Amino acid sequence: MTSNRVRPRIECSIVLVGLMGAGKSAIGRRLASRLGMPFVDADAEIERAAGCSISDIFELHGEAAFRDGERRVIARLLSRPAHVLATGGGAFMDPETRAAIRAKGMSVWLRADLDLLVSRVSRRSNRPLLAGGEPREILRRLIAERHPVYAEADVVVDSMDGPHEQTVDAVLDAIAAHLDVRRRETGPEPPSLGIEA
Ligand code: S3P
């Protein structure tokens, strides 16, 4: 079910950031369809470029090599026409990637609390950072380290523990509000708002 709310007209890529389990890919895919924009998953692109899974990249080459690849792939993706981009949880922690996102896109932090993250990541076991210990403790540490950096995003939205469309609605409202503020600051020219047909 989708609501008939105002649909922002977007002229730059929307980049979803946040921790593992925040719902970046699930929300991103639905957001892209509501906005009529292409959806791209950075982790899937990294796997495609490397020809193996993220777990294998970590195991065979180490985290530093993964981060190098992640930085390069995201820089390349940001040069594509406007799309919705879901990034891996560590991507926005890289200062170069953060600067590239700031220059070429609009960042949206999908914020989720520890309990929600733990319940979501427990459904899958493909995350190398969670493989070496107790997921709740690892995520608690990552929240302390990363939330202050994610807070630099242009837009912050709480990821809800309900139907995904509810969170997508909240993202659309937050993006529209952000564009409205930006428009008032920069004058009436685009980015501007359009009304959903
Ligand atoms: C990571 C998150 C993962 C993936 C990799 C590292 C992180 O993506 O990029 O395992 O550093 O938080 P998701 O956030 O999509 O799970």
Side-chain angles (χ1 to χ4, degrees), residues 71-185:
R71 189 182 313 109
R72 280 199 304 273
V73 166
I74 291 177
R76 175 167 56 74
L77 294 174
L78 285 169
S79 67
R80 286 194 193 170
H83 58 281
V84 175
L85 176 63
T87 61
F92 201 63
M93 299 303 293
D94 182 90
E96 228 175 277
T97 297
R98 248 185 353 266
I101 293 171
R102 196 169 298 126
K104 296 195 172 144
M106 182 192 302
S107 49
V108 177
W109 172 22
L110 275 187
R111 181 172 57 190
D113 66 24
L114 182 60
D115 284 340
L116 183 56
L117 295 172
V118 171
S119 78
R120 295 238 184 95
V121 300
S122 65
R123 292 176 207 154
R124 282 163 66 194
S125 61
N126 60 344
R127 292 181 166 107
L129 286 190
L130 299 179
E134 174 55 44
R136 175 173 286 274
E137 290 321 308
I138 295 169
L139 283 165
R140 193 194 303 281
R141 177 176 53 74
L142 290 174
I143 284 175
E145 281 172 20
R146 293 181 176 181
H147 276 199
V149 178
Y150 295 149
E152 293 179 25
D154 295 312
V155 171
V156 181
V157 175
D158 285 312
S159 183
M160 286 169 240
D161 190 13
H164 286 313
E165 291 300 340
Q166 225 180 307
T167 301
V168 174
D169 282 343
V171 173
L172 285 168
D173 289 347
I175 289 173
H178 178 74
L179 289 177
D180 211 22
V181 169
R182 219 155 74 175
R183 189 171 52 123
R184 267 186 257 127
E185 284 169 0

Side-chain angles (χ1 to χ4, degrees), residues 20 24 43 54 66-67 88-90 127-129 146:
M20 296 172 270
K24 301 176 298 281
D43 280 349
I54 287 177
F66 169 75
R67 298 297 173 198
R127 292 181 166 107
L129 286 190
R146 293 181 176 181

Side-chain angles (χ1 to χ4, degrees), residues 17-41:
V17 306
L19 275 172
M20 296 172 270
K24 301 176 298 281
S25 301
I27 299 302
R29 193 166 286 114
R30 289 166 176 81
L31 179 66
S33 123
R34 294 275 292 277
L35 288 169
M37 294 169 81
F39 171 73
V40 182
D41 187 294

